[in-house]
Amino acid sequence: MDQNIDAIKLQHEVHGVREFKLNNGMALLFIPDTRQSTVTTHLIYRSGSSKEKYGQKGLAHLLEHLLLIESVATAKKNSQGHIQSFKVKGVTNFDFTDYQTWPGSDIKTLKFALQYSSSMMASFNATPEQLEEAKSQVINERENTEAGRFNFLLREATSHLFTWHAYGRDPLGIPSDVQNLTLSDMQEFWYQHYRPENATLIISGKYDEADMLNTVLQLFGPISKARYEEKPIVTVEPPQNGEREIVLLRKTTAPYSIISYRAVDINHPDAAAMELLSRVLNSTERTKNDFSDLGKIKSTRASYMLLQQAGLLMFGIDFQYGISEGIFKTKFIDVLENLPKQPITEQEFLKAKKAAAKDHKHITENADELAFKLLTFIAGGNWQRYFTLQQDIQNYDLAQLQKKGEEWITSSNRLAITLREPVRR
């Protein structure tokens, strides 16, 4: 092992996940899986669209595209053939930006992928031409994603759920803001947020840990901390004051509705209730007795969004084409908000816990899936929160779940947003 390895120290080990930290503040997570033949890496920065300034909506996402364009162009010059088996993808969310690579099983390609990731953090070398290319990609992405009903409605929903907080800003940004962003704007955001103490590198799959420690230290160790003190977001979204309903019209589309309720942030002790409620309220046992005409509905879905400073419970309804969705949406809302009259049963409660435990087991048995799952919790401030949340779910009390359900799943905390065709006259 390299004599400089003392510059990288083991911090924690939880359920096989080992966290090291470099002297410059960058965190490194190892998630070994010897059953795999390949390796995947993530480099996540705890900065997403919520950190953007006024007039710069979409900057974090545009920077993601710009750095991918610039770094891939550089990588092609220096790859010596490794780029052929080297794939990379970027994702920008409210709380983070992540760069994922799939270097395969070749150790030289893996080290090249890490070199690629470190160069993105070490220096900013994008050109005006690359910025214009990135802007074109972002505009096209917006047009493509607006065709999908759920993603389109989700963006519209968050903009009305968070009218004060930055979570109301779509990570894709505003086209006019994106078009007016300059290379100087990109570099300033990069300097402020793409620094080692704001980053976590995850390596999952089959690898030699000692070799990877040396490689990471050599590539990322020389990168110094930025002389920048990030200011925390202090805006607090007030409680919703009354139910909200929005109807958006689009020709030749089957109706789709999202029913949303604001809840708690990722680190709140009651975050466990969000997963359990999403499972209970979308169960067939609860809907089959109260929702007699399910033939008008293609499917329903339940999900929850955990963010650093907020949380959402969301229920989607995909209707058959050509029906009038109003009465069925109302019925579905009645089922959701009927908890005071139809309390959660012990059977529903235990079934939800069992399903959560099964999903957790599946995730922890696959290193790549666990790595992806941890991104949200790293952005929330503590990757170990994923594991304590699973414990919270299994230890949660039925009476407390009923209480939280009645508190959150109410008309005064509801936003219903629907996409449908205009009424024909």
Side-chain angles (χ1 to χ4, degrees):
M1 187 174 289
D2 192 279
Q3 61 180 357
N4 294 320
I5 207 67
D6 288 341
I8 186 168
K9 299 178 177 64
L10 178 65
Q11 302 291 311
H12 304 98
E13 183 169 0
V14 180
H15 292 277
V17 181
R18 289 163 59 83
E19 179 188 15
F20 292 82
K21 185 155 286 189
L22 280 67
N23 285 344
N24 60 13
M26 191 186 87
L28 167 64
L29 296 185
F30 282 130
I31 309 178
D33 190 343
T34 56
R35 296 168 300 177
Q36 294 183 201
S37 60
T38 59
V39 179
T40 302
T41 76
H42 291 266
L43 183 57
I44 174 175
Y45 296 92
R46 291 182 294 277
S47 298
S49 61
S50 63
K51 301 295 177 67
E52 296 164 350
K53 298 177 182 177
Y54 182 79
Q56 296 185 340
K57 295 177 183 178
L59 191 157
H61 181 234
L62 179 62
L63 180 59
E64 170 219 311
H65 279 255
L66 176 62
L67 292 180
L68 286 173
I69 292 169
E70 186 275 323
S71 54
V72 167
T74 302
K76 286 182 177 179
K77 295 178 183 178
N78 305 316
S79 69
Q80 298 178 344
H82 299 306
I83 196 72
Q84 296 177 2
S85 56
F86 172 53
K87 296 185 293 183
V88 62
K89 176 184 177 182
V91 174
T92 299
N93 208 318
F94 294 112
D95 291 328
F96 68 85
T97 300
D98 173 58
Y99 298 89
Q100 183 177 6
T101 70
W102 293 269
S105 57
D106 180 67
I107 187 63
K108 291 182 179 179
T109 305
L110 170 58
K111 291 184 176 182
F112 177 77
L114 293 172
Q115 180 183 346
Y116 163 92
S117 297
S118 67
S119 65
M120 189 183 297
M121 183 189 295
S123 61
F124 181 91
N125 300 305
T127 66
E129 293 76 18
Q130 290 169 338
L131 177 58
E132 291 307 309
E133 182 181 350
K135 288 180 179 180
S136 178
Q137 288 182 358
V138 168
I139 297 300
N140 289 336
E141 183 179 342
R142 168 173 282 281
E143 293 174 354
N144 291 335
T145 56
E146 284 187 350
R149 293 173 299 159
F150 181 80
N151 289 334
F152 172 69
L153 282 180
L154 181 59
R155 290 205 300 267
E156 292 291 328
T158 53
S159 69
H160 290 88
L161 286 163
F162 301 105
T163 55
W164 289 14
H165 198 281
Y167 290 151
R169 302 198 297 244
D170 176 13
L172 284 178
I174 297 174
S176 59
D177 282 10
V178 170
Q179 291 290 11
N180 286 303
L181 287 168
T182 66
L183 205 59
S184 177
D185 297 327
M186 300 290 104
Q187 188 165 13
E188 180 184 15
F189 193 89
W190 170 86
Y191 175 79
Q192 292 174 349
H193 302 289
Y194 280 60
R195 45 196 171 82
E197 68 271 31
N198 196 41
T200 298
L201 173 66
I202 307 175
I203 302 177
S204 62
K206 188 176 182 179
Y207 51 83
D208 181 273
E209 183 178 288
D211 187 29
M212 285 298 97
L213 282 171
N214 275 308
T215 301
V216 169
L217 184 59
Q218 291 167 10
L219 293 173
F220 291 90
I223 304 174
S224 59
K225 293 183 179 181
R227 299 175 184 175
Y228 176 77
E229 185 175 348
E230 187 170 327
K231 296 179 180 179
I233 297 174
V234 297
T235 303
V236 177
E237 188 73 24
Q240 183 169 307
N241 186 20
E243 63 184 272
R244 301 173 184 175
E245 181 160 9
I246 300 164
V247 178
L248 302 172
L249 304 180
R250 178 189 288 177
K251 291 184 178 179
T252 62
T253 185
Y256 199 105
S257 294
I258 293 180
I259 316 300
S260 302
Y261 303 89
R262 284 191 16 218
V264 294
D265 64 78
I266 193 170
N267 294 306
H268 195 282
D270 287 313
M274 296 170 65
E275 172 157 347
L276 292 171
L277 284 170
S278 69
R279 293 179 183 276
V280 168
L281 293 174
N282 197 48
S283 65
T284 55
E285 289 84 355
R286 182 158 287 262
T287 58
K288 67 181 180 181
N289 294 326
D290 299 282
F291 214 158
S292 58
D293 203 348
L294 287 171
K296 300 293 185 181
I297 294 177
K298 290 182 182 178
S299 63
T300 62
R301 62 186 291 179
S303 59
Y304 58 97
M305 183 184 294
L306 288 172
L307 299 167
Q308 187 181 44
Q309 296 182 322
L312 294 176
L313 274 165
M314 297 173 291
F315 302 89
I317 319 171
D318 189 3
F319 297 94
Q320 297 286 356
Y321 180 77
I323 74 160
S324 177
E325 84 294 337
I327 186 172
F328 303 106
K329 180 177 64 178
T330 301
K331 284 184 177 181
F332 192 77
I333 290 172
D334 288 343
V335 171
L336 295 177
E337 297 177 7
N338 197 35
L339 283 174
K341 295 181 179 179
Q342 187 182 357
I344 301 167
T345 66
E346 183 78 16
Q347 182 181 1
E348 290 177 317
F349 181 59
L350 294 177
K351 182 179 179 181
K353 281 190 173 185
K354 184 177 180 180
K358 181 179 179 181
D359 286 351
H360 171 58
K361 183 175 184 294
H362 172 76
I363 289 169
T364 53
E365 288 176 347
N366 185 297
D368 290 348
E369 288 197 28
L370 179 57
F372 185 80
K373 193 72 175 180
L374 291 182
L375 297 180
T376 299
F377 296 86
I378 293 170
N382 181 11
W383 62 271
Q384 297 175 61
R385 174 58 179 147
Y386 168 71
F387 295 100
T388 60
L389 178 60
Q390 306 314 307
Q391 294 172 355
D392 290 348
I393 289 170
Q394 297 307 317
N395 294 331
Y396 213 74
D397 180 71
L398 175 55
Q400 180 70 358
L401 183 64
Q402 178 70 28
K403 178 182 176 182
K404 287 291 132 183
E406 292 185 22
E407 178 183 325
W408 295 337
I409 313 297
T410 64
S411 60
S412 61
N413 191 40
R414 180 210 316 142
L415 169 71
I417 184 165
T418 300
L419 181 66
R420 63 170 174 79
E421 285 190 315
V423 176
R424 297 174 183 174
R425 300 185 184 278

